[in-house]
């Protein structure tokens, strides 16, 4: 029932989001435009060819990118919470976002164009993945990785990455500084089908990997010692999950910038509704993350007339108070932190 509700809400939000803007298109015309290539006629189409072309070239890829990025961040957050055994964990803990920001900053400040128009996403993706693996390698000792060490290493590496971003901002000219700041705030403006396709492929691979390890994540939730007794190779599982998280978040951040709290809020909400089993949680997180970011992008485009709000601002405005509530609730249910 929850899956159907989320699916219907996602389709409705997609149609609404793509129909609302400076040029409003009625929902039936949006639906008719979507179904026409499939040979399903009978529904009205936009009055002008320019409106139909605008839907396919601007609004559909942007809404699709919002759904794919939201799903990627939500699944990555679920995996992080599973391997850390903590509902407060999120992908930023292992430095994916801050590492990607450093990669993008280097590309912007030094004017690197090695891969043409794909240079910035490639640098952001590679740096995010590299920093995540570095955090894991630095926190590993004697063939084992403790969660506390991993978290503390992630905090230290995030601090270094923050300093590197500040240094790049200092070194850059005015235009570079504006680019770095705007990229860090997150935006889906200018999304193209080619970018959506890359994120879809990586999301599909990440989902397959997540479904394959779902049962072992359930066993890990019983505790590391119990999981080992039940045949789970905890270190191998943890490394595998971190690589999957880096791929999912790296691809999302490379094209959309830093979008906070989606990976924290959505999995936790789904867990409150469905319980701790990871197999249904993965599907619910995909739908919930896609729905949340599609609605957030609709708000970013329409809340301020003739302006496009950075997406990261909206998600932080919602996610910040939720995180505070989550902290208070966890503290109350645990009987304090001590």
């Amino acid at each position: 029932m929850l899956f159907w509700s989320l699916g219907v809400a996602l389709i409705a939000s997609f149609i609404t989001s793509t129909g609302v803007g400076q040029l409003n298109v009625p929902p039936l015309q949006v639906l008719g435009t979507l179904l026409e290539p499939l040979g399903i006629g009978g529904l009205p189409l936009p009055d002008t060819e320019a409106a139909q072309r605008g839907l396919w070239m601007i609004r559909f890829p942007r809404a699709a990118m919002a759904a794919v990025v939201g799903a990627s961040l939500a699944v990555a957050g679920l995996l992080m919470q599973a391997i850390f055994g903590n509902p407060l964990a999120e992908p930023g803990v292992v430095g994916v976002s801050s590492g990607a920001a450093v990669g993008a900053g280097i590309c912007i400040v030094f004017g690197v164009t090695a891969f043409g128009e794909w240079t910035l996403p490639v640098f952001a993706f590679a740096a995010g993945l590299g920093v995540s693996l570095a955090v894991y390698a630095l926190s590993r000792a004697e063939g084992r990785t403790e969660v506390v060490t991993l978290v503390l290493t992630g905090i230290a590496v995030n601090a270094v990455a923050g300093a590197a971003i500040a240094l790049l901002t200092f070194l850059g000219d005015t235009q570079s500084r504006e680019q770095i700041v705007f990229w860090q705030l997150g935006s889906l403006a200018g999304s193209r089908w080619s970018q959506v396709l890359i994120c879809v492929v990586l999301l599909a691979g990440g989902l397959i990997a997540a479904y394959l390890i779902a049962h072992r994540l359930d066993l890990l939730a019983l505790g590391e010692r119990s999981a080992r007794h039940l045949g789970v190779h905890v270190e191998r599982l943890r490394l595998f999950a971190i690589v999957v998280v880096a791929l999912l978040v790296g691809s999302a951040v490379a094209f959309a910038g830093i979008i906070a709290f989606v990976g924290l809020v959505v999995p936790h909400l789904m867990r409150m509704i469905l319980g701790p089993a990871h197999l249904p949680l993965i599907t619910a997180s995909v739908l919930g993350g896609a729905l949340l970011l599609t609605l957030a992008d609709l708000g970013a485009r329409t809340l301020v007339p003739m302006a496009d709000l950075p997406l990261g601002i909206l998600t932080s405005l919602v996610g910040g108070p939720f995180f505070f509530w989550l902290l208070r609730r966890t503290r109350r249910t645990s009987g304090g932190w001590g």
Side-chain angles (χ1 to χ4, degrees):
M1 185 63 183
L2 176 66
F3 296 161
W4 282 105
S5 301
L6 289 173
V8 171
L10 176 60
I11 294 172
S13 66
F14 185 92
I15 293 174
T16 304
S17 175
T18 50
V20 174
Q22 293 182 17
L23 175 64
N24 288 321
V25 180
L28 281 180
Q29 292 184 6
V30 174
L31 193 58
T33 306
L34 277 172
L35 297 179
E36 188 187 27
L38 302 176
I40 303 175
L43 291 173
L45 296 174
D47 299 329
T48 64
E49 187 179 340
Q52 196 168 353
R53 194 164 54 246
L55 285 176
W56 279 110
M57 295 183 66
I58 299 174
R59 294 190 185 174
F60 286 165
R62 176 167 179 157
M65 181 63 96
V68 174
V69 168
S72 298
L73 293 176
V75 173
L78 176 64
L79 293 177
M80 289 297 295
Q81 292 171 11
I83 61 173
F84 278 88
N86 191 325
L88 303 181
E90 59 114 12
V93 170
V94 291
V96 187
S97 302
S98 56
V102 173
I106 291 173
C107 180
I108 292 170
V109 171
F110 296 106
V112 182
T113 57
F115 302 99
E117 61 177 327
W118 298 96
T119 303
L120 193 147
V122 168
F123 266 65
F125 178 80
L129 181 61
V131 169
S132 304
L133 295 177
V135 168
Y136 180 80
L138 290 171
S139 60
R140 190 174 170 84
E142 299 177 356
R144 295 186 59 187
T145 309
E146 294 179 351
V147 171
V148 174
T149 309
L150 194 60
V151 172
L152 293 176
T153 307
I155 291 172
V157 172
N158 274 320
V160 174
I165 295 167
L167 178 62
L168 289 168
T169 307
F170 174 77
L171 293 175
D173 55 21
T174 303
Q175 186 180 359
S176 298
R177 291 172 188 164
E178 290 177 355
Q179 277 186 272
I180 292 174
V181 170
F182 186 76
W183 187 85
Q184 285 183 280
L185 293 175
S187 175
L188 295 169
S191 296
R192 302 193 302 274
W193 284 116
S194 55
Q195 299 171 345
V196 175
L197 180 61
I198 292 174
C199 291
V200 166
V201 170
L202 290 173
L203 173 61
L207 279 179
I208 293 171
Y211 281 121
L212 288 176
I213 63 174
H215 178 62
R216 278 174 281 178
L217 294 176
D218 289 339
L219 297 178
L220 184 60
L222 301 174
E224 288 190 25
R225 181 173 297 179
S226 301
R228 286 193 180 94
H229 285 312
L230 292 169
V232 178
H233 195 302
V234 175
E235 286 304 312
R236 193 178 300 165
L237 175 63
R238 188 167 284 153
L239 176 61
F240 183 75
I242 287 177
V243 171
V244 173
V245 168
L247 290 174
L248 288 172
V249 179
S251 63
V253 173
F255 293 112
I258 297 176
I259 299 174
F261 288 110
V262 176
L264 171 70
V265 172
V266 174
H268 192 76
L269 281 176
M270 296 302 117
R271 190 178 291 105
M272 290 170 63
I273 299 171
L274 292 174
H278 284 88
L279 199 58
L281 274 178
I282 294 170
T283 306
S285 295
V286 168
L287 296 171
L291 174 62
L292 176 63
L293 210 58
T294 303
L295 292 175
D297 184 54
L298 173 62
R301 290 194 298 109
T302 57
L303 285 178
V304 178
M306 307 299 289
D308 200 339
L309 276 177
L311 196 53
I313 293 178
L314 281 182
T315 57
S316 296
L317 281 174
V318 176
F322 180 83
F323 186 69
F324 179 71
W325 171 81
L326 188 58
L327 281 172
R328 300 283 298 180
R329 179 178 178 275
T330 304
R331 185 178 187 275
R332 187 172 60 252
T333 54
S334 302
W337 300 115

